[in-house]
Amino acid sequence: MTDSVPAEGTVPEAGPADAAGWLTLPDVAERLDVPISKVHQMIRDRELIAVRRDGVRRIPADLVANHTVIKHLPGVLTLLADAGYDDEAALRWLYEPDESLPGRTPAAALAGDQAREIKRRAQALGF
């Protein structure tokens, strides 16, 4: 998992490319000012998404900006789960470059004023 170049035929890991763009679960708990058990519950309830990177569960830092979870993230995560996306695929979808969106990814647009459009696109994946 530490290879910098993916093996042929594999899909690169989704999410922020920079290691500074990731937070560990204790970092998220500190940022949100909640106990670590609450962070685990938020992941189980699909209020947050966490994936393993280098053997440690991590969350993209921009999803917990300003000491809170991005407002519409839980709804989008639920829509993606309903469409059959696992956590890795959902994260890949959130960070897939899209020139038609401000911020150039669904995750960046979700943090802005395009949340309704991102929800509409996520809902359309189920059909």
Side-chain angles (χ1 to χ4, degrees):
M1 286 199 111
T2 59
D3 293 341
S4 60
V5 178
E8 189 172 309
T10 63
V11 178
E13 293 179 335
D18 182 10
W22 292 95
L23 296 172
T24 62
L25 301 189
D27 293 338
V28 172
E30 185 177 322
R31 184 174 280 195
L32 297 177
D33 195 28
V34 298
I36 188 75
S37 59
K38 174 67 174 167
V39 174
H40 287 281
Q41 185 65 46
M42 293 171 81
I43 293 167
R44 281 191 300 272
D45 292 345
R46 293 203 179 277
E47 294 174 27
L48 275 174
I49 187 169
V51 292
R52 287 202 184 274
R53 295 290 181 262
D54 299 324
V56 178
R57 290 177 78 189
R58 299 179 189 270
I59 296 173
D62 56 347
L63 299 181
V64 287
N66 300 324
H67 303 287
T68 185
V69 176
I70 292 178
K71 182 177 181 180
H72 299 282
L73 180 64
V76 170
L77 292 177
T78 298
L79 290 168
L80 292 172
D82 290 349
Y85 282 56
D86 63 11
D87 288 347
E88 196 66 50
L91 195 64
R92 191 170 296 109
W93 185 86
L94 284 168
Y95 285 92
E96 184 71 32
D98 186 335
E99 297 297 318
S100 69
L101 294 171
R104 305 290 187 230
T105 67
L110 192 61
D113 60 353
Q114 294 291 313
R116 184 175 299 198
E117 174 64 14
I118 301 307
K119 284 181 173 179
R120 185 195 64 74
R121 291 181 185 194
Q123 188 173 26
L125 295 172
F127 297 99

